[in-house]
Amino acid sequence: MEAITNNMPDDKSSKKKRTLKGFADKVTPYLFISPFYILFLIFGLFPIVFSGILAFSQWDGIGDVQFTGLENFKRLMADTDFWLSIKNTLIIWVIQTVPMLVIALVLAFLINLQFVRRKEFFKTTFFLPYVTSVVAVTILFGLIFSNQSGLINAVLEMFGREPIAFIDSPFWVRIVIALVGIWQYLGYNMIIYFSGLQRIPADYYEAAIIDGASKYQLFTKITIPLLKPIILFTVIMSTIGGLQVFAEAQVLVPTNATAEGGSLTIVYYIYQTAFLQNRYGYGSTITWGLVVIILVISLINWYLTSYRIKGEDD
């Protein structure tokens, strides 16, 4: 009887240790992932919620936040600079995205051909601009297309041509901004397409070659149809990224950028309004206008993707 009594505290102690160990096992994984959620709450969720509040308010960053209701949204609908910035952004996106994706797909197809050697060298070479700072790339293009001492204008003068004001011309500045994007993201999309091409069975190409198919027919009848999901992905990602062009325009035209000048994109307009003019309320309203535009385009892409998958299942 005495032995049983003496063992009771030990049983309680061991049970308590097992309880604490079980609790620690459950809590430990959450402690490891907690830094992400803490950072997300501070730098992700809070700015989103606060910008939503500021969209209906007026605030200069120092004083009190003054609620203004829908006044900012009414002003946005009548803001010609906002609509012109959308126009500039869409033009730059079209000039940049369409040639970039087409060239990336063609390059991936060519590198994937069996007789092409040193595939890793070509992939690395084309991918290098993607890991280069966008500011550094834009500065390089700014030197090449400079109005006074640019490389392109120097070549034109050598052939007796008049220099072109690339940065001051609404038409040319959009092209220069688009060229920066093409240079930087061409290799990234090419790698994605190349990875998709690796998943296409070689038997398809061999059978088509035996039947007498040309390189063009291999590309249009086999490659493109089987790469549709990847092509849709690159189009969606390029659309979202193209609508957020900022650094390229800001570095090329750091001051006096206007919507009429062609260099004022939507994000650049947000930067000017909020951080240069200290109109954080209206800047948040423009931001939510951009969110709506991206959401609409994303829904269109989602519909097209769902329609394609449904058609395949049927």
Side-chain angles (χ1 to χ4, degrees), residues 72-90:
N72 287 336
F73 290 93
K74 293 178 182 178
R75 182 188 307 173
L76 186 68
M77 292 296 100
D79 189 351
T80 56
D81 286 341
F82 171 72
W83 295 109
L84 283 175
S85 66
I86 292 177
K87 176 183 175 182
N88 293 334
T89 304
L90 292 177

Side-chain angles (χ1 to χ4, degrees), residues 8-193:
M8 289 180 62
D10 294 337
D11 293 340
K12 290 182 179 180
S13 176
S14 61
K15 184 178 181 180
K16 184 177 180 180
K17 289 181 180 179
R18 288 196 300 269
T19 303
L20 291 175
K21 184 176 182 303
F23 177 76
D25 291 341
K26 293 180 179 179
V27 172
T28 300
Y30 295 99
L31 290 177
F32 279 109
I33 65 174
S34 61
F36 166 78
Y37 289 100
I38 293 172
L39 293 174
F40 172 74
L41 289 174
I42 297 175
F43 299 104
L45 184 60
F46 173 74
I48 293 174
V49 175
F50 190 55
S51 67
I53 297 172
L54 288 181
F56 299 92
S57 310
Q58 183 178 353
W59 188 49
D60 60 359
I62 300 177
D64 297 331
V65 177
Q66 301 176 357
F67 181 75
T68 58
L70 297 175
E71 290 300 320
N72 287 336
F73 290 93
K74 293 178 182 178
R75 182 188 307 173
L76 186 68
M77 292 296 100
D79 189 351
T80 56
D81 286 341
F82 171 72
W83 295 109
L84 283 175
S85 66
I86 292 177
K87 176 183 175 182
N88 293 334
T89 304
L90 292 177
I91 292 175
I92 293 170
W93 171 75
V94 172
I95 298 173
Q96 170 182 316
T97 304
V98 177
M100 176 182 64
L101 296 182
V102 172
I103 297 172
L105 181 57
V106 173
L107 287 175
F109 177 77
L110 294 176
I111 293 175
N112 190 56
L113 294 175
Q114 292 183 356
F115 64 84
V116 176
R117 305 298 179 185
R118 299 183 180 179
K119 298 180 187 295
E120 299 300 326
F121 169 77
F122 288 110
K123 289 192 293 183
T124 303
T125 302
F126 283 107
F127 189 75
L128 277 177
Y130 179 73
V131 298
T132 307
S133 170
V134 62
V135 175
V137 174
T138 307
I139 291 175
L140 174 63
F141 273 79
L143 294 174
I144 294 174
F145 292 95
S146 175
N147 293 339
Q148 287 80 24
S149 57
L151 176 63
I152 301 298
N153 279 329
V155 173
L156 291 176
E157 290 179 354
M158 287 175 58
F159 289 95
R161 302 289 184 178
E162 291 293 328
I164 300 174
F166 290 103
I167 307 302
D168 297 334
S169 170
F171 173 78
W172 285 109
V173 74
R174 293 168 182 159
I175 293 180
V176 174
I177 295 173
L179 288 175
V180 175
I182 293 173
W183 172 266
Q184 187 155 36
Y185 299 108
L186 175 65
Y188 168 79
N189 289 282
M190 187 201 72
I191 294 296
I192 294 178
Y193 289 142

Side-chain angles (χ1 to χ4, degrees), residues 90-310:
L90 292 177
I91 292 175
I92 293 170
W93 171 75
V94 172
I95 298 173
Q96 170 182 316
T97 304
V98 177
M100 176 182 64
L101 296 182
V102 172
I103 297 172
L105 181 57
V106 173
L107 287 175
F109 177 77
L110 294 176
I111 293 175
N112 190 56
L113 294 175
Q114 292 183 356
F115 64 84
V116 176
R117 305 298 179 185
R118 299 183 180 179
K119 298 180 187 295
E120 299 300 326
F121 169 77
F122 288 110
K123 289 192 293 183
T124 303
T125 302
F126 283 107
F127 189 75
L128 277 177
Y130 179 73
V131 298
T132 307
S133 170
V134 62
V135 175
V137 174
T138 307
I139 291 175
L140 174 63
F141 273 79
L143 294 174
I144 294 174
F145 292 95
S146 175
N147 293 339
Q148 287 80 24
S149 57
L151 176 63
I152 301 298
N153 279 329
V155 173
L156 291 176
E157 290 179 354
M158 287 175 58
F159 289 95
R161 302 289 184 178
E162 291 293 328
I164 300 174
F166 290 103
I167 307 302
D168 297 334
S169 170
F171 173 78
W172 285 109
V173 74
R174 293 168 182 159
I175 293 180
V176 174
I177 295 173
L179 288 175
V180 175
I182 293 173
W183 172 266
Q184 187 155 36
Y185 299 108
L186 175 65
Y188 168 79
N189 289 282
M190 187 201 72
I191 294 296
I192 294 178
Y193 289 142
F194 183 84
S195 300
L197 289 171
Q198 294 291 299
R199 298 178 59 185
I200 300 177
D203 297 343
Y204 293 175
Y205 292 107
E206 293 174 0
I209 292 173
I210 293 174
D211 291 337
S214 62
K215 292 291 189 294
Y216 175 78
Q217 290 173 327
L218 293 176
F219 183 73
T220 57
K221 302 300 182 181
I222 297 178
T223 303
I224 293 180
L226 293 178
L227 282 181
K228 277 185 179 180
I230 297 177
I231 292 173
L232 286 171
F233 169 78
T234 55
V235 170
I236 292 173
M237 297 306 296
S238 298
T239 300
I240 296 174
L243 292 174
Q244 301 180 60
V245 174
F246 167 67
E248 298 90 331
Q250 201 273 336
V251 173
L252 282 175
V253 189
T255 58
N256 300 323
T258 62
E260 296 83 357
S263 61
L264 191 66
T265 62
I266 302 177
V267 179
Y268 198 176
Y269 187 40
I270 295 171
Y271 168 76
Q272 281 190 349
T273 304
F275 298 101
L276 297 183
Q277 302 174 9
N278 295 326
R279 295 190 296 162
Y280 292 96
Y282 189 55
S284 299
T285 306
I286 302 172
T287 302
W288 283 101
L290 175 60
V291 170
V292 171
I293 295 172
I294 293 176
L295 179 61
V296 170
I297 296 177
S298 299
L299 288 175
I300 293 173
N301 285 319
W302 172 82
Y303 171 77
L304 294 175
T305 305
S306 301
Y307 179 79
R308 178 189 59 81
I309 295 175
K310 181 179 179 182

